[in-house]
Amino acid sequence: MNKQTRHTFYARLAELDPNPTTELNYSTPFELLTAVLLSAQATDVGVNKATKILFPVANTPAGILALGQEGLESYINTIGLYRSKAKHLLETCRMLLELHGGEVPRDRESLEALPGVGRKTANVVLNTAFGVPTIAVDTHIFRLGNRTGLAPGKDVRAVEDKLLKVTPAEFLLNAHHWLILHGRYVCKARKPECWRCVVNDVCDYRSKTMTPPPGR
């Protein structure tokens, strides 16, 4: 894509959804960090069901620690890998209390030093909780960047770096949300719904499906 095409791409997604945000339910940076930690290899819907029960009981580092391993597991055992996630979350809570006064740090280095927090999780927290113009590349965004020609790359870091370079500044803050939602609901992995895609005419994907299957 050239510069003008990329601007058109984002402008159309922005017009469709002017104020995009994460589908994880949260009300504080710590709740967001917790939800993102729990969301690895799990759906946002599944995480929201668990945190809907967990957060009214414990939504601070001290509150989570008070539950202990077994207590925390009892709230999140419907989520995949819940035992290891509970362990990581408890260790994260300890570090937040010991090193950051119980607050979620606002810098990448400190976030990535927390157990279970990688670059993608740090990017989500920085962008969604603190308004930092980062782009967290998951499987949806990786696929979208390569399939559409928006930001081709051999791995997630390459796609992230390319997106940060080519995304127009006016769209950078919300780019992560537009791309992940578009990849999740329209530009799907196996059967992209090109017939209802608002950017299908500026997309480089060669195998477009412009006619919906019967019954759609």
Side-chain angles (χ1 to χ4, degrees):
M1 289 189 187
N2 58 36
K3 184 177 181 179
Q4 183 57 50
T5 303
R6 288 191 292 268
H7 189 280
T8 299
F9 186 98
Y10 279 111
R12 290 184 186 173
L13 295 180
E15 183 177 5
L16 191 67
D17 186 3
N19 300 296
T21 189
T22 179
E23 293 187 315
L24 291 169
N25 295 332
Y26 75 99
S27 59
T28 67
F30 177 73
E31 287 187 357
L32 177 64
L33 175 61
T34 297
V36 179
L37 277 173
L38 297 178
S39 70
Q41 300 182 49
T43 65
D44 288 357
V45 172
V47 172
N48 288 338
K49 287 181 179 179
T51 57
K52 183 179 180 179
I53 301 172
L54 172 64
F55 286 159
V57 175
N59 69 339
T60 65
I64 295 291
L65 276 176
L67 293 176
Q69 180 81 21
E70 291 187 4
L72 179 55
E73 287 180 4
S74 70
Y75 287 97
I76 66 171
N77 59 16
T78 56
I79 301 173
L81 306 175
Y82 70 91
R83 287 192 175 91
S84 61
K85 290 177 181 179
K87 180 180 178 181
H88 285 152
L89 180 54
L90 288 168
E91 292 173 353
T92 287
C93 289
R94 291 189 186 96
M95 289 184 65
L96 290 177
L97 288 168
E98 292 173 1
L99 302 177
H100 304 287
E103 299 295 323
V104 176
R106 293 171 176 253
D107 66 282
R108 179 185 301 283
E109 184 178 0
S110 297
L111 282 169
E112 291 187 18
L114 299 171
V117 177
R119 185 176 182 86
K120 184 179 74 173
T121 298
N123 277 338
V124 172
V125 173
L126 288 170
N127 177 261
T128 306
F130 301 128
V132 178
T134 61
I135 298 179
V137 178
D138 67 350
T139 55
H140 295 298
I141 296 180
F142 178 74
R143 178 180 69 253
L144 199 69
N146 281 283
R147 176 185 280 174
T148 65
L150 178 66
K154 63 181 180 179
D155 53 40
V156 293
R157 182 58 188 273
V159 171
E160 178 189 334
D161 290 344
K162 186 67 178 292
L163 284 170
L164 290 173
K165 181 179 179 181
V166 304
T167 298
E170 66 193 278
F171 301 119
L172 192 54
L173 180 61
N174 290 321
H176 162 76
H177 299 299
W178 284 317
L179 296 177
I180 193 172
L181 292 172
H182 192 66
R184 183 176 291 170
Y185 296 114
V186 180
C187 195
K188 300 175 182 178
R190 293 186 179 181
K191 297 180 179 180
E193 298 182 1
C194 307
W195 66 88
R196 67 183 188 91
C197 174
V198 297
V199 292
N200 60 45
D201 62 318
V202 296
C203 164
D204 289 345
Y205 186 49
R206 295 182 179 180
S207 304
K208 292 186 177 73
T209 306
M210 298 306 296
T211 303
R216 295 300 294 265

